[in-house]
Amino acid sequence: MKNNILFLVLYFAFFLGCKPLENKPQKPKLIVGIVVDQMRYDYLTRFYDRYSENGFKRILKDGFSLENAHYNYIPTYTAVGHSSIYTGTTPANHGIISNNWYDKYLKKSIYCVDDSTFTTIGNLSNSGKKSPYKLFTTTVTDQLKLAQNMKGKTIGIAIKDRSAILPAGHTANASYWFYGNDAPKWISSSFYIDKLPKWVIDFNNTNKADDYLKQPWNTLYDIKTYTNSIIDNNIFEGKFTGETTTSLPHDIPNLRAKNGNFNLLKSIPAGNTYTADFAKAAIIGENLGKTEYTDFLAVSFSSTDYIGHKFGPASKEIEDTYLRFDKDLADLLLFLDKQIGKDKYTIFLTADHAAVHVPAYLQSLKIPAHYLNNTTLKETILLITKKYFNSVELIENISNYQIFLNKAKIESLGFTKNQVAEKIAEELIDFEGIYKVVTAKTLQTTHFSEGILNSLQNGYNQKLSGDVLMIPYPATLTGGKTGTSHGSGYSYDTHVPIIFYGNGIKKGVSKKRYDIIDIAPTIANLLKIEAPNSATGKIVEEALLK
């Protein structure tokens, strides 16, 4: 009799296409998207031996790492990166073409998340007049809400407003960002909520921010062991206001008054720890991962970017920052294990862009690197229009290596916009700091399938972008000769970590080329939901359990 029952069970299991005795994995209860602002891929490898077993090493060993992942567009800026990660597409489609850009319809520069139709929630400043309305497409966070009939929660968190708002999308329950100055508060916008929840008020009423600023920034370990970075006091790094040397330790308690008081928290490693503290409070306060629906926490760690800009990738400050962030990551993972359950959450960790070594430092090593003078560039462009069109009034704006032309003025002189754009491109290629120049018409009519011009094309939005687009030489920055920046389509700006970890993720490594826009379709496929509505990325199949 028992044999007959076993036969029937096996028969129906086979007939229904099921594998007997196999437990179908459940969807994760919580997705945690972690974006580390300005994290180069080589920060994983340079500092690997010094990381603990429970932070970066844990997700590398037990997750799936894409070792050759890149941004596939220009410009590589914070708002653009966060948008592309979560929409699964490039600025050509999602419409966030920079942090700030010239609006050729409003005839002024605009900021990516400014929205005067909403008010600040959490204080009386204007810092909460924000929304994601400039983002044209859905995000994977939006798609999860739609798939669950608006059930489940989405929360965005970052020190920077744009890094909290754009990942959380249009349907988030809330996004929170840090207001420093003399009143350390996590605030939001009336786009999301009418008042701060009690858990946010309670967190704001703690003295955590003040406590972090009472301690000097010294190295986590003996500074003599920091052999993966250059000498501490050097001419390539910036200083906090009031300092006479670039060396650690930095006397934070005595520096805060001259450096924006609580704003200084943004520019030290403790800013990442403080962000992690708030993320943990959000998980508890919003009861994330505790219902029948999948929740999404989008958290970005911004202090790495502020520190990178000031000190550069080769600094002891950067080395110490990542050793400390590794501990923050380990603590967050342990918290998730206990609060959500070790097999009930999924993480992806990536960066919104990377960064170039300080060009002056590269120059000292006889490596080609450059500084471009924006004033000289503008003067050269005006000389071109004066020479060929007898006018210096044909340019409306020059920003983000783009030239916006004054169409009305051009046509009043009997020329066309394409004529002017083509002549500028033809002449400007001879400018010392510029490597390539392309007109908007070329990007609209020619397909570049690979290389730097393909990246430029992916970042070009026909409705929003300029009429002439420039690419400087590799390792080129504008401004002063200390610290670093980003924005290019070269590998130092595009090569970032992408690591998947947790529920539904295999253990492994891939050396194949993947793009940043592949994250959202992969997470969507893991959750069995539609990808964002303009997604152009592909699913990283090899990272997912079948």
Side-chain angles (χ1 to χ4, degrees), residues 273-344:
T273 311
Y274 186 60
T275 302
D277 292 340
F278 189 69
K280 294 172 189 175
I283 291 170
I284 295 172
E286 296 290 345
N287 204 34
L288 300 182
K290 296 294 186 180
T291 70
E292 61 185 295
Y293 302 102
T294 299
D295 298 319
F296 206 122
L297 176 65
V299 57
S300 182
F301 292 91
S302 305
S303 294
T304 43
D305 184 67
Y306 290 104
I307 295 165
H309 276 293
K310 184 174 291 293
F311 297 103
S315 65
K316 294 198 186 303
E317 282 82 359
I318 276 292
E319 183 170 357
D320 192 62
T321 294
Y322 278 88
L323 295 181
R324 290 178 179 277
F325 179 70
D326 178 66
K327 295 176 72 69
D328 293 331
L329 179 61
D331 289 343
L332 180 59
L333 292 170
L334 181 61
F335 175 86
L336 290 168
D337 291 343
K338 293 179 178 179
Q339 184 70 20
I340 310 300
K342 207 165 187 178
D343 60 343
K344 294 182 179 179

Side-chain angles (χ1 to χ4, degrees), residues 23 120 163 192 210-211 269 274 282 304-305 397 441 517:
N23 292 322
T120 304
S163 305
Y192 303 104
D210 192 56
D211 289 342
Y274 186 60
T304 43
D305 184 67
N397 180 266
K441 182 178 180 181
I517 60 174

Side-chain angles (χ1 to χ4, degrees), residues 462-538:
Q462 184 178 359
K463 190 174 184 67
L464 304 176
S465 297
D467 302 296
V468 181
L469 293 87
M470 301 167 280
I471 300 176
Y473 280 106
T476 295
L477 293 182
T478 59
K481 293 192 176 183
T482 61
T484 191
S485 195
H486 48 84
S488 80
Y490 297 113
S491 61
Y492 54 75
D493 278 339
T494 67
H495 189 198
V496 296
I498 297 180
I499 307 167
F500 298 98
Y501 170 87
N503 182 304
I505 303 300
K506 289 180 182 177
K507 296 181 183 181
V509 170
S510 177
K511 300 182 186 301
K512 296 177 184 177
R513 162 80 187 222
Y514 283 101
D515 295 326
I516 199 70
I517 60 174
D518 297 333
I519 293 175
T522 301
I523 294 298
N525 186 262
L526 170 70
L527 295 172
K528 306 303 179 192
I529 63 175
E530 281 293 319
N533 60 16
S534 290
T536 51
K538 58 184 177 294

Side-chain angles (χ1 to χ4, degrees), residues 109-158:
S109 181
I110 60 172
Y111 178 59
C112 56
V113 292
D114 273 351
D115 191 338
S116 61
T117 61
F118 297 99
T119 59
T120 304
I121 302 298
N123 65 22
L124 299 177
S125 74
N126 291 325
S127 299
K129 293 185 174 183
K130 314 290 180 186
S131 86
Y133 91 95
K134 295 183 182 73
L135 184 66
F136 293 158
T137 68
T138 63
T139 59
V140 66
T141 46
D142 288 328
Q143 295 298 150
L144 178 58
K145 295 280 280 191
L146 289 169
Q148 298 182 131
N149 197 26
M150 303 308 291
K151 303 296 196 301
K153 290 183 178 180
T154 297
I155 304 293
I157 291 171

Side-chain angles (χ1 to χ4, degrees), residues 30-42:
L30 177 66
I31 303 291
V32 183
I34 298 174
V35 180
V36 188
D37 204 322
Q38 203 190 116
M39 184 177 181
R40 291 165 55 110
Y41 174 80
D42 66 357

Side-chain angles (χ1 to χ4, degrees), residues 33 75 170 220 330 356 375 383 490 531:
H170 307 84
L220 185 62
V356 66
T375 300
L383 285 173
Y490 297 113

